[in-house]
Amino acid sequence: MKHQIADPWLLHARGATIIIPSNGILHDRPHAILLTKHARVAAQRYPALSQELGDLIHRSGHHSYYFQDARILTVPIAEGGHTHLDLALLTKGIKQSVRFAASFGLTALICPQWELSDPTHSWDSVTAILTTHWDDRFTLITEPPRNI
């Protein structure tokens, strides 16, 4: 896995597949819960994403899903709209992302660091999972500081 400081949406516009986290679904609602900054941006840029992902989760479970036309790959991080990071679910999703990369011949996958609202986990625990499974096709993105 590589690291880079960059604007993830600029890299996406240049052809990279962006990886966004998903917080599952609420059983009484048809849409997927996309709580992190870049998941919300993806949902704004691709208005059908939340509904399509919600339908897939309802039918097949909360897994990683690849939306080829949008070059978006989702990775589950929590269930039922919760913000508490589920490391087992994340690990399963990360392994699935590697299989998607192989199946679709993806060579440039970027994952913007997302905000962790779960005080029981840090980015060190997430990075340990990522570095165990991701190879050089995957880049963890840190956004550059914004000048205000």
Side-chain angles (χ1 to χ4, degrees), residues 48-64:
L49 178 66
S50 179
Q51 175 71 49
E52 290 176 17
L53 179 57
D55 290 344
L56 288 167
I57 294 171
H58 273 290
R59 283 184 296 195
S60 303
H62 196 194
H63 308 285
S64 289

Side-chain angles (χ1 to χ4, degrees), residues 27-147:
H27 292 289
D28 61 339
R29 295 190 182 168
H31 295 84
I33 309 298
L34 302 170
L35 296 177
T36 66
K37 173 185 171 182
H38 293 290
R40 290 190 311 269
V41 170
Q44 289 171 347
R45 290 176 181 225
Y46 301 92
L49 178 66
S50 179
Q51 175 71 49
E52 290 176 17
L53 179 57
D55 290 344
L56 288 167
I57 294 171
H58 273 290
R59 283 184 296 195
S60 303
H62 196 194
H63 308 285
S64 289
Y65 292 100
Y66 178 49
F67 297 87
Q68 190 170 8
D69 291 344
R71 292 184 330 280
I72 294 173
L73 191 135
T74 64
V75 172
I77 62 168
E79 291 284 7
H82 294 286
T83 58
H84 295 292
L85 185 64
D86 181 332
L87 292 179
L89 185 63
L90 173 64
T91 302
K92 178 182 86 168
I94 294 302
K95 290 177 180 179
Q96 291 169 342
S97 72
V98 173
R99 289 194 292 273
F100 275 115
S103 296
F104 287 91
L106 304 175
T107 59
L109 298 102
I110 58 168
C111 180
Q113 278 190 298
W114 65 86
E115 55 279 9
L116 289 176
S117 56
D118 180 356
T120 61
H121 297 291
S122 69
W123 258 99
D124 290 341
S125 57
V126 174
T127 302
I129 294 168
L130 301 181
T131 56
T132 299
H133 300 286
W134 280 355
D135 56 32
D136 282 348
R137 294 172 294 182
F138 295 85
T139 303
L140 185 61
I141 301 295
T142 303
E143 287 191 271
R146 303 264 184 229
N147 294 332

